[in-house]
Amino acid sequence: MTGNAAALSMTQAISFGRSGVADPAPDLKWHEGWRDRLANLDLAPDLGDDIGSRTWWRGLATLTALCAAAISTFPGIQPLQAGGAPALAAADFNEARAQMIVPLALGGDTGRHMAATDAVRPLTQTPERPQIELTATLGSGDSFARLLERSGVGSADAQALASQVSGAVPLADIAPGTRIDLILGRRAARTMPRPVDALAMRARFDLRIEMERVDGRLVMRRIPIAVDATPLRIRGRVGDSLYRSARAAGAPPEAIQAYLRVIGKQISVASDVRAGDEYDIIVDYRRAETGESEVGKLLYAGLVRGGKQKLSMIEWNVDGRVQWFEASGAGETRGGMVRPTNGRQTSGFGMRRHPILGYKRMHSGVDFGGGYGAPIYAVSDGVVSIAGRHGGFGNFVKLSHGGGVGTGYGHMSRIAVRPGQRVNRGQVIGYIGSTGLSTGPHLHFEVYRNGVAVNPATASFVTRAQLEGKALADFRARIRQLTAVTPGAALTPVAAKQAEAPKLGSLSDVASKRVGGGI
């Protein structure tokens, strides 16, 4: 002990009896002491701890006692008795089920049938329906007469009907997919085909045909359908997406795609079209009084920026070739030459020793190898100025491309064009051969500038069609006609046309009249 601190041992602080257990407080009553002992008693000790001790054995005895009590008080399981007896025995139920109007899976599996009574008489033959109503569809490459024959009409009647319908509309004008409603009447004999009592179809977009048998013959009625052919014009702001904006305005997807392809030849759609620009789309459009509509090809592609036309393009035919022209009359720009044939180059431009003449002289073109009869193509648009034998070139074709530029093709086996003919880029103008001064089949190709042969490797043609004179005036007049169309004018109501006599009932009316005789 050091300093002023005092230290007490545990035995000094708490007094214990002889057993080492703390003496109970002298003021506790006897029942309070037992209550404390019972409170400290652990009846469910952990059987994994202190195995073999008194506490462990007491816990095992407690567990055994609880299981025995549960088993001794188990009431057992007995089946519940349902009240009442079944209405039908099993055999009676199967007998009744076989005669119910129920699905096969629920009652028609016994094979039992109702017995026939004396009132039942066997049929000598199955009765026929007095008429048959059906719809046939004209397929691609099909004929009107063959369609009728497949529907059950006799061959002679089908040919007569086809001839009668062709008087109202050429059979070739009836589009594939046309639905034809038919009513076939009663047969005179079972071995004969059914006659046609009525026929109705949309023969053309602007014409419906109805036919009904009256007094033994088919009477035709033509019902013209009013059609408005005003072009559909759609204008709107480009915004975030030209495509989405035009679709929201009602433009057909095919028209938008065609519009983007057309203006894409003049400007870059990705970088040159601004959000504030306005698209101007006009498409061929037809709408019938019955509500159907047909959308045709793109007629006009325009782009407006700041209230002024940035692009104004329509399709125009020049010398048999259709292409898109801008309002100024300028057509599509096409650059570069196509390869005159698919063979490899075997000889270049310049001085060389001639393989036949044996001395050096100027080789004014390039040679391309190839198999005999391989096609030769025009490298650019042009007009044939020479097509025939031409000295050492043998069978020779010369094209004039305008602006003093021309091309020549020699040693052909056969020529496929004639003088004065206009040819397009990539068009076949002849076939490789070995005519003239030639040691084997090949193509001799030359390029001319103002009549002088130049190295073809230095030439690259750029062609752009340009309208002039009356063609340009007609072109601009067509632009004014299209741009005069008011946006949405094609959606106004269409006035109905007067149908011709005689007045025939609808197909359902005809069917109700024919069925009057019964079976």
Side-chain angles (χ1 to χ4, degrees):
M1 184 166 50
T2 59
N4 296 326
L8 293 178
S9 65
M10 184 64 69
T11 56
Q12 292 174 337
I14 302 175
S15 61
F16 291 89
R18 288 190 302 268
S19 61
V21 180
D23 293 334
D27 56 345
L28 290 178
K29 297 180 180 179
W30 67 270
H31 63 275
E32 292 177 347
W34 279 104
R35 186 178 59 187
D36 292 340
R37 288 187 178 91
L38 290 176
N40 294 327
L41 181 62
D42 185 7
L43 295 177
D46 184 4
L47 297 182
D49 190 21
D50 294 336
I51 298 174
S53 64
R54 290 179 58 188
T55 303
W56 184 87
W57 284 107
R58 185 177 66 246
L60 181 62
T62 304
L63 177 62
T64 303
L66 291 175
C67 291
I71 294 172
S72 63
T73 58
F74 179 62
I77 299 176
Q78 298 294 331
L80 296 177
Q81 297 295 330
L88 293 175
D92 296 334
F93 176 75
N94 286 334
E95 183 72 24
R97 185 179 65 170
Q99 307 189 26
M100 296 177 185
I101 303 176
V102 292
L104 180 65
L106 301 180
D109 55 354
T110 63
R112 299 170 182 259
H113 302 279
M114 288 288 289
T117 65
D118 294 339
V120 176
R121 294 289 184 268
L123 291 174
T124 57
Q125 62 180 9
T126 305
E128 284 193 344
R129 296 172 60 183
Q131 64 186 25
I132 297 177
E133 300 179 38
L134 56 91
T135 299
T137 303
L138 186 67
S140 179
D142 201 358
S143 74
F144 187 77
R146 284 199 301 269
L147 178 142
L148 295 176
E149 291 178 21
R150 287 197 307 273
S151 302
V153 182
S155 177
D157 290 345
Q159 295 295 336
L161 274 171
S163 177
Q164 191 172 355
V165 170
S166 65
V169 56
L171 298 181
D173 290 353
I174 303 177
T178 299
R179 294 166 56 91
I180 301 172
D181 298 322
L182 291 166
I183 295 181
L184 305 183
R186 190 190 297 275
R187 297 185 292 187
R190 288 180 176 273
T191 57
M192 298 179 61
R194 289 180 177 268
V196 177
D197 278 352
L199 180 148
M201 68 173 178
R202 183 77 168 264
R204 272 197 322 250
F205 191 70
D206 59 349
L207 178 65
R208 177 178 172 83
I209 291 178
E210 293 182 356
M211 302 178 74
E212 182 183 352
R213 189 170 295 278
V214 179
D215 298 330
R217 66 185 187 89
L218 283 172
V219 179
M220 179 186 294
R221 181 188 184 209
R222 299 176 180 87
I223 305 175
I225 300 172
V227 174
D228 179 27
T230 303
L232 177 63
R233 186 178 188 184
I234 301 171
R235 290 190 64 173
R237 185 173 173 272
V238 171
D240 295 335
S241 169
L242 191 155
Y243 183 87
R244 289 198 295 268
S245 175
R247 286 291 291 132
E254 297 82 2
I256 303 174
Q257 293 167 5
Y259 172 82
L260 293 174
R261 284 195 299 269
V262 169
I263 67 172
K265 296 177 182 178
Q266 299 291 327
I267 61 175
S268 172
V269 178
S271 59
D272 294 343
V273 178
R274 304 173 184 173
D277 294 345
E278 294 183 10
Y279 54 83
D280 194 353
I281 303 173
I282 302 179
V283 295
D284 194 10
Y285 188 76
R286 295 200 306 164
R287 190 164 53 92
E289 61 174 293
T290 50
E292 297 88 357
S293 61
E294 284 184 346
V295 179
K297 64 179 183 177
L298 180 69
L299 300 178
Y300 175 85
L303 188 69
V304 180
R305 177 172 296 170
K308 297 181 180 180
Q309 287 286 348
K310 177 176 176 60
L311 278 180
S312 184
M313 303 183 67
I314 66 172
E315 203 173 34
W316 202 252
N317 190 321
V318 177
D319 297 327
R321 181 171 172 232
V322 177
Q323 60 174 297
W324 284 84
F325 285 82
E326 215 274 331
S328 62
E332 302 172 8
T333 300
R334 303 176 66 182
M337 299 186 299
V338 299
R339 194 174 179 85
T341 188
N342 294 327
R344 64 181 182 86
Q345 182 176 329
T346 58
S347 180
F349 180 86
M351 296 296 295
R352 69 164 189 175
R353 185 178 185 85
H354 197 281
I356 295 179
L357 300 179
Y359 57 86
K360 275 193 172 184
R361 72 172 190 173
M362 183 67 180
H363 186 234
S364 57
V366 294
D367 293 340
F368 293 91
Y372 190 91
I376 300 172
Y377 309 102
V379 296
S380 188
D381 298 345
V383 178
V384 180
S385 56
I386 298 176
R389 298 289 298 189
H390 192 69
F393 292 120
N395 290 330
F396 180 75
V397 170
K398 185 176 182 179
L399 303 180
S400 176
H401 304 285
V405 178
T407 53
Y409 312 78
H411 307 306
M412 292 184 178
S413 62
R414 184 162 63 91
I415 297 174
V417 291
R418 62 184 183 277
Q421 178 181 344
R422 178 173 290 275
V423 296
N424 296 326
R425 178 184 182 185
Q427 179 178 336
V428 175
I429 59 175
Y431 302 90
I432 286 181
S434 186
T435 56
L437 293 177
S438 171
T439 58
H442 71 284
L443 167 66
H444 176 80
F445 174 66
E446 294 186 352
V447 176
Y448 311 100
R449 281 199 182 98
N450 298 321
V452 178
V454 297
N455 188 354
T458 63
S460 179
F461 301 153
V462 176
T463 60
R464 186 182 182 97
Q466 183 72 38
L467 298 176
E468 299 176 348
K470 185 178 183 303
L472 181 59
D474 294 341
F475 171 79
R476 289 178 174 170
R478 176 60 175 166
I479 290 182
R480 289 193 296 270
Q481 178 187 3
L482 289 174
T483 52
V485 175
T486 304
L491 304 180
T492 56
V494 181
K497 286 186 176 181
Q498 183 67 32
E500 68 172 21
K503 173 70 174 176
L504 301 177
S506 65
L507 204 62
S508 58
D509 297 334
V510 175
S512 63
K513 288 189 292 183
R514 299 297 173 192
V515 81
I519 297 179

